[in-house]
Amino acid sequence: MDLKTNHASPVLTESSSVNISRLAFRQNMLPCSSPTTVLSTGLHLTVPRKKTGVLDDVRSTGWLDAMIASSPPPKRVTRDANEKDGAADTELSYQTWMVKYPSGLNTFEKIADHAKGKRIVLFLDYDGTLSPIVDNPDFAFMHKSMRDAVKRAANCFPTAIISGRSREKVLDFVKLTNLYYAGSHGMDIMYPIHKISSDGHTCPVEKQLKKFNLFQPASEFLPMIDEVFNILVEATKDIAGATVENNRFCVSVHFRNVDMTNWPMVGGIVHDMLKNYPRLRLTHGRKVLEIRPIIDWDKGKAVMFLLESLGLNERDDVLPIYVGDDRTDEDAFKVLREGNRGLGILVSSIPKESSAYYSLRNPSEVEMFLKRLVRCKKSHAL
Ligand SMILES: [Mg+2]
């Protein structure tokens, strides 16, 4: 069966050029000589005086709290008995949390039972799911063993990568041609021309992706996104560690390398810029602020689009599984939870509320989960 393209939005065909996304990185330090502020989270921040108006806006709108809440600190190495007690408490709270969000590995048999006789369709986030979170987002490479696991999974099940990054950037990281790629939170979808065989396998017709279909529901926003990217590069150039990334249909402002005392400054710049662009909105990721068009489109919509494109939506014999770690993945978890369409699996090493059904602790567990799925499929247990 050929892919269906019965959508109102244009579906384009394009040759396979891969462009590296533009990235700006600045190292200059801002002079900081200002009063200390205590936030509602208990954190102490030193705030530059000259930006007080904007920074007040950032606090009053809850942005700063959201930046902190969505950016948990990295795990520290345990050094003494008290810290060991703390680690035990942390593990206990994680185990308690897993009662509500069981491990996808520990409950694998249950998932396999649920999937029995159904066509699994895999949706995978990239950063923090297939690759570790690293200081420089340009170096978020996936391990060779993970690439191999994804490749094998994609040979068994239709598989899509859905990321906030630009589609070209994710393809450059993953380097696999038997997948679907959805960049910019699903606003830039590339899918190879496939046929679905009678046993449910996808058979790539164009293995080298010389031709593929493209779906871009926000193409009219491209000039505006470029403009905003340039504005943010200039505005953040003096904040050490601030990185602005053009993800084609969204702009990411990374602050994972910015000293916490300067987070209000980063938030203030983005907040100020958005006042001039009412057709753009902000979402919070892990140590990243993301600016994207206000259109009714997100990762959940991208999942539904891909299922429909494959002719696999609204069917009882299809089981979509979405694995992701970020807030933006919640849209996909919700879509799958609604009407029991499929399973969401949250990747997290800390307890947090989610619309996912299951959990995995880190990308290593994601790799193990993918390998078990493939083993199960090959032994005809699915
Ligand atoms: Mg992620």
Side-chain angles (χ1 to χ4, degrees):
M1 183 192 303
D2 284 323
L3 286 167
K4 294 178 179 177
T5 54
N6 56 340
H7 296 276
S9 302
V11 179
L12 310 173
T13 300
E14 181 179 276
S15 55
S16 63
S17 59
V18 175
N19 298 317
I20 302 298
S21 63
R22 286 175 289 171
L23 201 72
F25 190 69
R26 298 288 184 272
Q27 293 281 355
N28 303 331
M29 228 16 208
L30 258 190
C32 246
S33 57
S34 307
T36 297
T37 302
V38 180
L39 300 172
S40 59
T41 54
L43 289 165
H44 294 256
L45 294 178
T46 304
V47 179
R49 287 178 194 280
K50 66 179 181 180
K51 287 280 185 179
T52 300
V54 173
L55 297 175
D56 282 347
D57 280 349
V58 174
R59 284 193 210 93
S60 64
T61 54
W63 273 44
L64 198 50
D65 283 345
M67 287 169 76
I68 293 165
S70 61
S71 309
K75 279 185 176 176
R76 296 165 58 203
V77 176
T78 302
R79 289 198 179 89
D80 57 32
N82 285 340
E83 290 189 359
K84 277 183 183 169
D85 287 346
D89 287 347
T90 302
E91 182 58 23
L92 182 63
S93 67
Y94 191 81
Q95 295 294 332
T96 307
W97 174 77
M98 280 209 300
V99 173
K100 187 174 178 185
Y101 304 97
S103 162
L105 291 175
N106 296 345
T107 56
F108 186 84
E109 302 304 331
K110 190 176 170 188
I111 294 173
D113 275 352
H114 188 57
K116 203 155 191 150
K118 295 177 180 166
R119 293 178 179 180
I120 289 178
V121 186
L122 276 178
F123 297 95
L124 307 168
D125 172 47
Y126 183 73
D127 290 88
T129 299
L130 300 182
S131 75
I133 297 289
V134 293
D135 286 343
N136 186 338
D138 237 11
F139 294 107
F141 303 114
M142 67 195 296
H143 292 145
K144 186 178 174 300
S145 59
M146 178 67 93
R147 181 174 293 108
D148 189 53
V150 173
K151 185 178 180 180
R152 287 168 189 268
N155 285 336
C156 293
F157 318 105
T159 301
I161 309 283
I162 302 188
S163 169
R165 305 265 204 155
S166 75
R167 175 172 49 81
E168 292 91 344
K169 187 82 181 176
V170 178
L171 176 58
D172 198 37
F173 278 134
V174 178
K175 302 182 191 303
L176 295 173
T177 56
N178 58 339
L179 304 177
Y180 302 80
Y181 288 91
S184 306
H185 300 290
M187 285 184 282
D188 188 7
I189 300 178
M190 177 181 76
Y191 47 102
I193 301 166
H194 277 104
K195 284 185 176 178
I196 306 278
S197 60
S198 55
D199 62 358
H201 291 169
T202 53
C203 308
V205 174
E206 294 288 342
K207 285 192 175 178
Q208 299 304 313
L209 293 182
K210 286 177 182 169
K211 274 186 179 285
F212 51 81
N213 292 326
L214 203 59
F215 177 71
Q216 298 176 330
S219 53
E220 65 174 298
F221 285 87
L222 280 171
M224 188 185 290
I225 291 292
D226 281 345
E227 189 175 298
V228 163
F229 169 72
N230 290 326
I231 289 170
L232 290 172
V233 167
E234 179 63 25
T236 59
K237 67 182 181 185
D238 291 329
I239 300 178
T243 309
V244 184
E245 187 176 6
N246 188 337
N247 291 319
R248 203 159 188 212
F249 290 95
C250 67
V251 175
S252 299
V253 181
H254 299 275
F255 55 93
R256 66 181 72 166
N257 292 324
V258 174
D259 190 287
M260 209 170 186
T261 56
N262 283 332
W263 285 13
M265 183 75 82
V266 175
I269 286 168
V270 176
H271 183 272
D272 219 21
M273 182 278 299
L274 278 176
K275 285 180 180 171
N276 298 319
Y277 291 90
R279 297 178 71 206
L280 299 179
R281 69 183 170 109
L282 174 106
T283 53
H284 292 267
R286 283 169 69 170
K287 296 189 180 177
V288 62
L289 298 172
E290 293 178 313
I291 298 102
R292 44 181 167 152
I294 295 181
I295 62 167
D296 187 19
W297 197 262
D298 52 40
K299 287 185 172 183
K301 298 280 194 316
V303 165
M304 294 309 295
F305 171 84
L306 282 166
L307 286 172
E308 189 178 333
S309 298
L310 281 164
L312 297 175
N313 62 321
E314 307 296 340
R315 290 176 54 157
D316 292 337
D317 61 348
V318 171
L319 181 67
I321 298 178
Y322 188 106
V323 190
D325 74 316
D326 221 333
R327 283 192 180 194
T328 54
D329 297 314
E330 291 295 328
D331 294 317
F333 295 150
K334 278 183 201 145
V335 156
L336 296 186
R337 186 178 270 269
E338 285 163 11
N340 268 330
R341 284 195 181 100
L343 304 179
I345 302 180
L346 174 68
V347 182
S348 180
S349 60
I350 56 167
K352 56 182 172 183
E353 279 301 304
S354 173
S355 294
Y357 281 104
Y358 295 98
S359 68
L360 291 168
R361 203 181 274 256
N362 50 41
S364 296
E365 289 199 358
V366 174
E367 185 180 325
M368 284 188 263
F369 180 79
L370 293 177
K371 286 177 175 171
R372 284 188 74 173
L373 269 185
V374 169
R375 277 203 302 275
C376 220
K377 178 71 179 175
K378 291 197 168 169
S379 65
H380 303 290
L382 286 177

